[in-house]
Amino acid sequence: SQQGEEDPQALSIQEGENATMNCSYKTSINNLQWYRQNSGRGLVHLILIRSNEREKHSGRLRVTLDTSKKSSSLLITASRAADTASYFCATDLSGNTPLVFGKGTRLSVIA
Amino acid sequence: GAGVSQSPSNKVTEKGKDVELRCDPISGHTALYWYRQRLGQGLEFLIYFQGNSAPDKSGLPSDRFSAERTGESVSTLTIQRTQQEDSAVYLCASSQDYRTYNEQFFGPGTRLTVL
């Protein structure tokens, strides 16, 4: 089964609104990464948050991590049509194992 | 090159034929990963190479799947006797090394269609 599960599976918002996506995982992790995928092609790394961090920012992105709840959230503020994509969280179980990706949240931003 | 490249971008084949997919990682990246992504699904890990260490093949779905990597350069993923359920996008990624805090850089993928 998937280590990370994103929620919701799909999200549709108006341009300018904020988009929040959640990721839950099952076992302890060292770090969690968020990736973006356009049109079913290659993924692009957005941000990494380590297990000892609670929040990170990068431009319009804000990521939180709650290790007690085994969950993370990705907030995109002031969304734009160009933010339309699928967003995946990826977790690791230890420093030596490949990342495990969730099924993703499909975000549609309507202009 | 500037990024990870994959070829071909699209491949249509008949059931039972063998296919070979190619990945050129970013120069200097010692770790290389292959993933499979079925339509509307997440990424399914297939295999991972780290330098000259034995590859982690734990994700390969059957013995019809195999992959090779020459040193720290090109990798090929081979699917023998293709089946319709092999239809998917095959993504390759590379990272500086195996440590999971390193960002993975993805290629554009190869879309495989098995008729």
Side-chain angles (χ1 to χ4, degrees):
Chain A
S1 63
Q2 297 283 352
Q3 161 71 334
E5 294 285 348
E6 292 88 346
D7 168 59
Q9 291 186 346
L11 178 62
S12 183
I13 60 173
Q14 295 290 324
E15 202 166 32
E17 294 181 338
N18 296 340
T20 299
M21 289 158 274
N22 303 297
C23 170
S24 59
Y25 55 92
K26 297 176 182 176
T27 62
S28 297
I29 59 171
N30 290 325
N31 63 71
L32 184 147
Q33 301 185 34
W34 283 93
Y35 285 79
R36 165 194 167 124
Q37 183 181 39
N38 287 77
S39 303
R41 289 295 187 165
L43 280 71
V44 175
H45 179 264
L46 295 177
I47 198 166
L48 175 148
I49 187 165
R50 298 181 190 274
S51 59
N52 62 353
E53 297 176 312
R54 293 296 168 259
E55 187 171 313
K56 283 190 80 170
H57 297 255
S58 176
R60 293 185 296 112
L61 305 181
R62 172 177 167 249
V63 169
T64 62
L65 179 64
D66 187 332
T67 53
S68 67
K69 295 181 179 178
K70 292 186 170 59
S71 68
S72 173
S73 67
L74 171 67
L75 168 68
I76 304 174
T77 60
S79 63
R80 306 167 182 167
D83 295 328
T84 295
S86 290
Y87 293 82
F88 294 86
C89 68
T91 56
D92 71 334
L93 300 180
S94 74
N96 295 329
T97 60
L99 297 177
V100 179
F101 288 81
K103 293 184 178 180
T105 292
R106 293 187 305 280
L107 173 66
S108 297
V109 181
I110 302 166
Chain B
V4 178
S5 61
Q6 292 186 246
S7 61
S9 57
N10 288 285
K11 177 71 176 179
V12 180
T13 190
E14 294 179 349
K15 178 182 174 181
K17 294 285 182 66
D18 297 351
V19 295
E20 192 172 277
L21 312 179
R22 177 187 170 108
C23 172
D24 282 85
I26 291 173
S27 179
H29 280 190
T30 61
L32 185 149
Y33 310 82
W34 282 99
Y35 298 90
R36 177 170 70 179
Q37 185 178 32
R38 292 197 169 104
L39 187 62
Q41 300 296 309
L43 273 68
E44 177 185 2
F45 164 74
L46 297 177
I47 188 170
Y48 136 71
F49 296 88
Q50 166 56 36
N52 294 319
S53 301
D56 178 351
K57 303 179 181 180
S58 60
L60 294 178
S62 78
D63 59 7
R64 296 186 296 105
F65 287 74
S66 62
E68 293 184 349
R69 186 181 186 193
T70 306
E72 294 182 355
S73 61
V74 172
S75 176
T76 55
L77 176 69
T78 301
I79 309 173
Q80 296 178 312
R81 305 181 302 281
T82 52
Q83 303 294 314
Q84 288 183 332
E85 64 261 27
D86 299 335
S87 295
V89 174
Y90 288 82
L91 292 163
C92 173
S94 70
S95 64
Q96 190 170 4
D97 60 41
Y98 67 92
R99 286 169 289 188
T100 57
Y101 56 74
N102 286 318
E103 172 183 351
Q104 292 190 16
F105 295 81
F106 282 80
T110 293
R111 186 179 301 278
L112 175 66
T113 303
V114 182
L115 301 176

